[in-house]
Amino acid sequence: QKEVEQNSGPLSVPEGAIASLNCTYSDRGSQSFFWYRQYSGKSPELIMFIYSNGDKEDGRFTAQLNKASQYVSLLIRDSQPSDSATYLCAVANSKLTFGKGITLSVRP
Amino acid sequence: GAVVSQHPSWVICKSGTSVKIECRSLDFQATTMFWYRQFPKQSLMLMATSNEGSKATYEQGVEKDKFLINHASLTLSTLTVTSAHPEDSSFYICSAREGGDGYTFGSGTRLTVV
């Protein structure tokens, strides 16, 4: 079993819609969870991090964490074409481990 | 905010030669630096973790004699790809951690071996 899994994708949503990105992880001891956005040919940029169960909101982005289910998600409200990118879920123990990413396309 | 500078941003080298990539934390001291490799349409794969003044810890399957990592100071880590071959062509990205979960990424280095 892979440590961090992002199975769905690619994802295409119309402009203004909500995009929902999901991620599961295998290590129950994981403490910190991150969502990164990566544009083609560029380095990842941090969108959000979350440590505690529940929701964390930052502007149009909401991260949700459920440690019992070993599940973390990212919701993007009012999706914009500029949100089109690859979204990487990452889990931290002593190091940061990434999922394979989900490519999101927002249609104008 | 924390800034990590990575150079060069791209490099083309001949097969059999060595290439050095630098990663510098500009406004903080990085207790730990990480080196990742990313092939097209794939995720970031951790190659090694380095702590200042000690030997790097390599991930399984990464050749330590081929990918030399030096972390001589709290602000500088280097990755040297020795005897590079076309299959080493990839996007190499460093990350520096000041403490806790503050991971800051460099801008990446596109290596092409011809």
Side-chain angles (χ1 to χ4, degrees), chain B residues 72-87:
Chain B
S73 76
L74 285 171
T75 60
L76 174 64
S77 177
T78 61
L79 168 67
T80 301
V81 183
T82 63
S83 187
H85 291 284
E87 57 265 30

Side-chain angles (χ1 to χ4, degrees), chain B residues 34-97:
Chain B
F34 304 87
W35 288 95
Y36 293 85
R37 179 169 53 182
Q38 186 176 36
F39 292 107
K41 299 191 183 302
Q42 295 187 24
S43 189
L44 280 74
M45 297 301 298
L46 181 66
M47 300 175 67
T49 302
S50 72
N51 293 293
E52 183 265 339
S54 61
K55 291 184 178 180
T57 301
Y58 290 80
E59 295 297 302
Q60 190 173 10
V62 178
E63 300 174 59
K64 61 181 66 177
D65 294 331
K66 180 172 183 61
F67 299 99
L68 302 179
I69 292 173
N70 184 283
H71 192 164
S73 76
L74 285 171
T75 60
L76 174 64
S77 177
T78 61
L79 168 67
T80 301
V81 183
T82 63
S83 187
H85 291 284
E87 57 265 30
D88 298 323
S89 299
S90 188
F91 191 47
Y92 291 85
I93 308 171
C94 72
S95 174
R97 184 172 68 189

Side-chain angles (χ1 to χ4, degrees), chain A residues 6 31-34 36 38 40-46 51 88-89 92-101, chain B residues 6 32 34 36 38 41-46 49 59 91 93-95 97 101-108 110:
Chain A
Q6 296 178 259
Q31 296 295 317
S32 311
F33 308 87
F34 303 80
Y36 287 86
Q38 186 177 29
S40 180
K42 302 294 184 181
S43 190
E45 52 184 88
L46 181 66
Y51 301 141
L88 301 166
C89 172
N93 294 308
S94 57
K95 56 189 179 183
L96 203 57
T97 302
F98 286 85
K100 66 178 182 180
Chain B
Q6 185 174 343
T32 307
F34 304 87
Y36 293 85
Q38 186 176 36
K41 299 191 183 302
Q42 295 187 24
S43 189
L44 280 74
M45 297 301 298
L46 181 66
T49 302
E59 295 297 302
F91 191 47
I93 308 171
C94 72
S95 174
R97 184 172 68 189
D101 285 323
Y103 298 87
T104 304
F105 283 85
S107 56
R110 175 76 56 193

Side-chain angles (χ1 to χ4, degrees), chain A residues 3-65:
Chain A
E3 294 183 39
V4 181
E5 292 211 46
Q6 296 178 259
N7 288 327
S8 59
L11 179 65
S12 179
V13 301
E15 184 174 356
I18 296 175
S20 177
L21 311 174
N22 304 317
C23 174
T24 58
Y25 60 95
S26 60
D27 186 353
R28 284 194 172 275
S30 301
Q31 296 295 317
S32 311
F33 308 87
F34 303 80
W35 282 100
Y36 287 86
R37 176 172 61 195
Q38 186 177 29
Y39 295 108
S40 180
K42 302 294 184 181
S43 190
E45 52 184 88
L46 181 66
I47 299 175
M48 291 188 70
F49 60 87
I50 186 167
Y51 301 141
S52 304
N53 277 326
D55 295 359
K56 180 181 179 181
E57 186 175 319
D58 184 0
R60 296 187 295 113
F61 300 94
T62 299
Q64 299 174 318
L65 174 62

